[in-house]
Amino acid sequence: MNIIGIEKSSFIDYPNNICTVLFTGGCNFRCPYCHNSSIVNNTGDRIDEDKIIVFLKKRKKFIDSLCISGGEPTLQKDLYDFICRVKEEDFIIKLDTNGTNPTLLRNLIDKKLIDYVAMDIKAPLAKYPSIVESVVDLKDIQESINILLKNKVEYEFRTTICKELLSIEDIKTIAKELKGCKTYVLQNFRDGETVLAGENKFTSYKAEELKEIEEAISTLLNRVIIR
Ligand code: SF4
């Protein structure tokens, strides 16, 4: 596993759990608002997988969950085997993914190797290529959505929003495409020097606009959370 970042304790990355977060290097998307540019560009020292297992074993009394984030973790050829190793230590596992590897996602869910999935929804399906600035197979994205909608694992869909890339109408279209989903999270864009396209390029939504969006889509979705 190409793990190039670790947050030893996080209170926000796994709902209702304190978790350790691992960041895998590299991504097959180039979302311009991404705030993990160094992880996406795969720069940073690799952390030895065995050392992570030892670390997790030591922390068992305090932490019982692991979040595997990125970059895009499903690009890692040995992700499945690594998750098996962590599961042997009785950790619950959350996977963050952009949904481009439905085969691996299904396999991990069917084998009960992951307990929570947070899947990014980048845009209405038709707008994906322009937002992620990469070649994307929309069938894969739709398949990953369908897998999670079957409710075999706890999950959330989540969208990072900024005014320049997604309009309120776009967000309503996403909500229609996710109709029936359990939990949908809107993450307001946060600027900073680690943003992939550079600082001061994008604008966050105002609190009152977020409220308006929440009201507009909450008739379509069970639970809308704003972060
Ligand atoms: S936001 Fe996620 S999917 Fe997009 S470039 Fe960053 S890590 Fe990759």
Side-chain angles (χ1 to χ4, degrees):
M1 283 274 287
N2 180 29
I3 298 162
I4 59 169
I6 182 167
E7 196 175 331
K8 292 180 176 173
S9 305
S10 166
F11 293 85
I12 56 170
D13 285 280
Y14 197 136
N16 307 318
N17 279 285
I18 304 170
C19 67
T20 292
V21 188
L22 301 180
F23 299 92
T24 61
C27 189
N28 47 355
F29 285 172
R30 285 293 179 274
C31 317
Y33 56 77
C34 178
H35 64 266
N36 274 348
S37 51
S38 61
I39 304 281
V40 167
N41 291 326
N42 205 2
T43 53
D45 292 335
R46 195 168 174 153
I47 306 168
D48 184 72
E49 190 180 308
D50 291 336
K51 283 194 182 146
I52 286 170
I53 299 290
V54 171
F55 167 80
L56 290 173
K57 278 182 180 174
K58 274 196 200 149
R59 304 270 291 194
K60 246 181 188 173
K61 270 194 196 153
F62 315 103
I63 284 175
D64 58 3
S65 54
L66 178 71
C67 172
I68 305 176
S69 190
E72 174 49 36
T74 65
L75 293 177
Q76 303 298 317
K77 300 243 175 311
D78 42 3
L79 178 67
Y80 185 96
D81 293 339
F82 176 72
I83 288 179
C84 288
R85 284 187 78 185
V86 177
K87 265 289 170 203
E88 275 170 21
E89 302 300 330
D90 282 337
F91 279 83
I92 57 170
I93 298 176
K94 169 174 174 270
L95 177 69
D96 292 348
T97 180
N98 61 21
T100 48
N101 191 340
T103 305
L104 180 57
L105 180 65
R106 183 184 291 107
N107 203 8
L108 289 167
I109 293 171
D110 287 350
K111 299 272 171 34
K112 300 195 185 318
L113 288 168
I114 48 176
D115 304 277
Y116 195 102
V117 178
M119 177 178 161
D120 287 351
I121 302 294
K122 302 297 181 186
L125 282 170
K127 273 187 84 171
Y128 250 76
S130 65
I131 300 291
V132 304
E133 297 188 2
S134 310
V135 175
V136 51
D137 187 338
L138 295 177
K139 288 202 282 320
D140 286 341
I141 304 296
Q142 185 63 64
E143 197 178 335
S144 291
I145 292 171
N146 294 345
I147 289 168
L148 294 180
L149 286 175
K150 284 186 180 144
N151 289 320
K152 286 186 174 173
V153 69
E154 287 291 307
Y155 71 89
E156 68 185 40
F157 294 115
R158 59 188 189 184
T159 303
T160 299
I161 52 171
C162 61
K163 289 190 178 181
E164 288 78 5
L165 298 180
L166 290 180
S167 66
I168 295 181
E169 280 313 308
D170 287 329
I171 299 162
K172 284 186 192 166
T173 305
I174 293 173
K176 283 180 197 148
E177 291 176 353
L178 296 178
K179 195 163 183 239
C181 85
K182 267 186 174 171
T183 304
Y184 180 56
V185 181
L186 286 172
Q187 301 181 143
N188 208 2
F189 168 73
R190 275 191 286 271
D191 208 356
E193 48 186 35
T194 63
V195 168
L196 199 56
E199 211 171 354
N200 301 320
K201 294 263 171 44
F202 301 116
T203 319
S204 314
Y205 277 93
K206 296 195 179 94
E208 58 270 26
E209 292 167 327
L210 289 173
K211 197 78 207 144
E212 188 191 320
I213 297 170
E214 185 185 8
E215 278 167 19
I217 63 176
S218 54
T219 51
L220 294 161
L221 303 170
N222 289 324
R223 186 165 166 244
V224 178
I225 296 172
I226 296 187
R227 274 189 198 138

